Amino acid sequence: QIHRRAMPPLAPLQPQIEAIFNDAQQSLAKHRRCAERLRALQRKADARAFAEALFACIACVLPIFKREPAAERVVEFVVRFLTEAGEDDAGEQDELIGRICLPLLGLSDARDKAVRFRVSQLVGRIMNAMPEEAEVSDDLFVAVEERMLRRCRDKVPVVRACALRALFRLQDPSGPSDAISSELLRMMEHDSSPEVRMAAISTVAPSKPAIRGLLSRTRDVTEAVRKHALGVLREKVEMRWLTISQRAKLLGDALADRSPSVRTAAVELVRGWLRKADRQLPVLLKALDVASYETAAERVVAALLRDKETAGGGGSLG
């Protein structure tokens, strides 16, 4: 009689995953190999058991509030592993994202500010790194919206900043009653923390209300916020989306700002608009309505004449 040889039992998952995490926290250079090792474990394991063991390892970083390099490398590794699956693993990976993020969100109201911070950070990073074609459950989207909107009112600024970033892909600026867009606009305008206002400036999707909010932040009391708002306007907002009076007031005020770094950001915005005008200054000045906004136009011309890129022959000022 031939007896089938007994297969050796699988080694416990959690110690193996812990060993991978230990390597991953040491160096970003190890992350690709660590992800391959973790993926190999995942393919051999029961999906639920793997998710539970993986979550237990992720949970070890939750009590760490300080931005320690090792903790940040673990966060980076988790996001990479969950969001960079191959085509063959995509469906299973979408399911794993739910099995990790939903328990994380269940901890979003924790008393410990470190846990609230890391939950918001991890969920936000995962949501924003997911491929466009990822298919996650409606339950996850509902939970992210509900829990992160609540954390947008957290007493700790870094938690609020992470929470609002987690809502980036869920906002619908075309909907006048969209709760997420309304909250992002509120935080951009009224949050007490410059860090949070800057995070909201980066996160809010362009719309008429958002553009009005961005313009108001170019007059923020904090220099870094004014500079950041000008940078986002340069990158995300077309000149043609602004009224002539908005263009003139924006440039007139920013080019006369008391801060050299803000004035530099304003010059970069002018450069961008000049490039869109085929480097023809008369075209740009027409868009500013020189007759009605003479002071703003004078400041634009003076700034361009001082600017090395333009004055060096890179464009036409005539």
Side-chain angles (χ1 to χ4, degrees):
Q1 185 178 2
I2 299 174
H3 295 279
R4 181 181 299 172
R5 188 176 178 183
M7 295 295 290
L10 289 174
L13 274 172
Q14 193 163 328
Q16 296 180 81
I17 297 176
E18 286 175 358
I20 293 170
F21 269 57
N22 187 53
D23 287 344
Q25 74 176 337
Q26 294 172 19
S27 168
L28 293 175
K30 295 184 176 184
H31 282 190
R32 184 182 64 81
R33 178 63 185 137
C34 286
E36 290 172 355
R37 289 163 56 197
L38 192 53
R39 191 83 60 212
L41 275 182
Q42 180 185 14
R43 289 175 181 140
K44 293 186 294 185
D46 172 76
R48 187 175 297 278
F50 179 81
E52 289 175 356
L54 179 61
F55 183 84
C57 291
I58 294 171
C60 293
V61 83
L62 300 185
I64 304 173
F65 185 72
K66 190 177 177 182
R67 304 295 284 261
E68 296 175 1
E72 297 306 311
R73 286 193 285 266
V74 168
V75 169
E76 197 72 34
F77 174 66
V78 170
V79 173
R80 177 174 184 169
F81 175 74
L82 289 176
T83 61
E84 293 186 3
E87 289 184 14
D88 294 341
D89 302 308
E92 187 176 349
Q93 206 67 6
D94 293 344
E95 188 176 328
L96 179 60
I97 286 173
R99 284 179 164 160
I100 296 299
C101 286
L102 283 169
L104 279 173
L105 289 164
L107 299 171
S108 63
D109 291 334
R111 282 188 175 185
D112 187 343
K113 66 179 181 180
V115 175
R116 300 196 307 274
F117 160 51
R118 292 297 179 182
V119 166
S120 302
Q121 180 193 35
L122 277 161
V123 170
R125 292 286 307 279
I126 292 165
M127 291 294 294
N128 290 326
M130 284 192 308
E132 291 291 338
E133 65 274 11
E135 296 180 5
V136 297
S137 69
D138 290 342
D139 288 346
L140 177 55
F141 283 126
V142 169
V144 171
E145 178 172 356
E146 177 186 320
R147 297 302 185 113
M148 292 298 98
L149 277 175
R150 204 145 70 218
R151 293 281 59 81
C152 283
R153 304 284 178 140
D154 199 278
K155 61 185 179 182
V156 180
V158 70
V159 177
R160 299 198 299 273
C162 289
L164 71 86
R165 291 188 187 104
L167 295 168
F168 172 67
R169 291 173 73 170
L170 301 184
Q171 64 185 305
D172 178 14
S174 65
S177 59
D178 180 53
I180 294 174
S181 297
S182 297
E183 184 66 2
L184 294 179
L185 290 173
R186 181 196 68 79
M187 297 174 84
M188 181 169 66
E189 291 273 6
H190 302 300
D191 196 278
S192 60
S193 164
E195 175 193 4
V196 175
R197 295 200 298 278
M198 287 192 287
I201 286 168
S202 296
T203 303
V204 70
S207 65
K208 285 187 176 180
I211 289 171
R212 287 196 295 271
L214 285 170
L215 292 172
S216 74
R217 289 310 92 212
T218 64
R219 300 184 295 277
D220 195 276
V221 294
T222 301
E223 172 187 332
V225 177
R226 299 197 300 276
K227 179 182 176 181
H228 188 61
L230 287 165
V232 171
L233 282 165
R234 185 184 73 250
E235 294 168 6
K236 294 186 179 180
V237 177
E238 298 285 341
M239 179 175 65
R240 57 189 172 84
W241 297 351
L242 306 181
T243 65
I244 292 175
S245 63
Q246 285 175 329
R247 299 168 196 166
K249 180 164 180 55
L250 167 63
L251 295 184
D253 290 349
L255 289 169
D257 195 277
R258 62 185 178 275
S259 161
S261 69
V262 174
R263 294 197 299 272
T264 298
V267 172
E268 290 171 359
L269 175 61
V270 173
R271 280 190 213 160
W273 286 6
L274 185 61
R275 282 193 290 271
K276 292 289 180 66
D278 295 325
R279 295 188 176 273
Q280 298 300 312
L281 184 57
V283 176
L284 177 58
L285 293 177
K286 182 178 180 182
L288 296 175
D289 188 358
V290 177
S292 301
Y293 301 99
E294 185 177 346
T295 301
E298 287 175 351
R299 287 175 180 167
V300 167
V301 172
L304 288 172
L305 287 171
R306 286 193 303 267
D307 183 60
K308 291 181 181 178
E309 178 184 309
T310 310
S316 170
L317 296 182

